Amino acid sequence: TEHAGKIMSIPYLISALSSPPLGHLVDRVGRRAKIAVFSSCLLFAVHLTLALSASSPIGPMVGQGIAYSLYAAVLWPSVPLTVPKQFTGTAFGVITSIQNIGLAMFPLMIAGIYNASGQRYIPNVGFFFMSCAAAGVVVGVCMNKLDGRYGNKLNSVSKGDNDEEEEVVLGSLREEEGEDFVGVEDDDNDYFSPLLQSGPGVI
């Protein structure tokens, strides 16, 4: 119905309006991995409410929109921070592929749950999305631990052009003084991804 369509559009409307300011906020405060965990926790609460509560879905839909906006604001900017520059396009392609695989498979899975539940969405479909959100929380916690181990790249504040210029000047001074200096942009070890590391004690 038209009323149901308006309610289902709430998350997308909130995302459209809030994504730019939230992205700016992430640029200023960092905390990308921590915000990812928070957004997954918020999604868990949203689907728990939808699964077990008979109240209006407007509130949970607002929460869902905020969670989506926060997650998008931290996911995409994190890619250049976790892979070398020469693999950035590949990383974006892999993420987009995984995202679309989920978009293709989830409707089929939800339809199966719906039919197995006597053609009822509530509560089992809600439980399914709760399990997905819980998995997101677990992955987010692991991501924070890895980020802490490899230099807090995700949770640190983005560097501006002035900071990068200062690093270049500092590097030039060190080279003039005969010190070994490796630029951040050329050092793959600066990236925290365990897939790019080697040696004992690395996951």
Side-chain angles (χ1 to χ4, degrees):
T1 64
E2 182 179 353
H3 179 66
K6 290 180 179 179
I7 292 177
M8 293 300 296
S9 68
I10 290 175
Y12 304 101
L13 179 61
I14 290 177
S15 180
L17 297 176
S18 63
S19 290
L22 287 176
H24 179 68
L25 177 65
V26 170
D27 286 336
R28 293 182 61 88
V29 304
R31 306 287 190 268
R32 297 170 187 85
K34 294 178 180 178
I35 293 174
V37 174
F38 173 77
S39 65
S40 295
C41 291
L42 183 56
L43 274 179
F44 184 89
V46 164
H47 291 295
L48 176 65
T49 303
L50 290 173
L52 302 180
S53 175
S55 60
S56 172
I58 293 178
M61 290 295 100
V62 171
Q64 188 174 30
I66 295 173
Y68 284 169
S69 301
L70 285 171
Y71 198 79
V74 299
L75 174 65
W76 300 109
S78 296
V79 174
L81 300 176
T82 54
V83 297
K85 285 186 175 181
Q86 64 267 31
F87 298 127
T88 301
T90 302
F92 277 113
V94 170
I95 292 175
T96 303
S97 177
I98 294 173
Q99 182 183 35
N100 283 292
I101 289 173
L103 291 173
M105 295 299 297
F106 272 40
L108 301 177
M109 298 169 67
I110 293 169
I113 296 172
Y114 173 78
N115 290 328
S117 303
Q119 297 188 340
R120 292 171 59 94
Y121 283 107
I122 303 299
N124 290 336
V125 172
F127 292 153
F128 169 74
F129 284 116
M130 285 169 57
S131 66
C132 294
V137 173
V138 173
V139 172
V141 171
C142 294
M143 182 169 58
N144 274 277
K145 291 183 177 180
L146 284 173
D147 187 46
R149 182 180 300 179
Y150 294 103
N152 287 311
K153 294 288 293 183
L154 296 179
N155 285 321
S156 62
V157 179
S158 299
K159 293 183 179 180
D161 293 336
N162 293 334
D163 296 327
E164 294 178 356
E165 290 176 0
E166 289 178 2
E167 287 185 357
V168 172
V169 173
L170 180 60
S172 300
L173 292 174
R174 288 180 177 175
E175 287 178 346
E176 291 176 1
E177 294 174 358
E179 297 181 12
D180 293 331
F181 178 80
V182 179
V184 172
E185 294 181 354
D186 297 326
D187 184 7
D188 287 347
N189 290 329
D190 185 62
Y191 299 98
F192 87 92
S193 175
L195 300 178
L196 303 174
Q197 306 294 326
S198 61
V202 177
I203 298 176

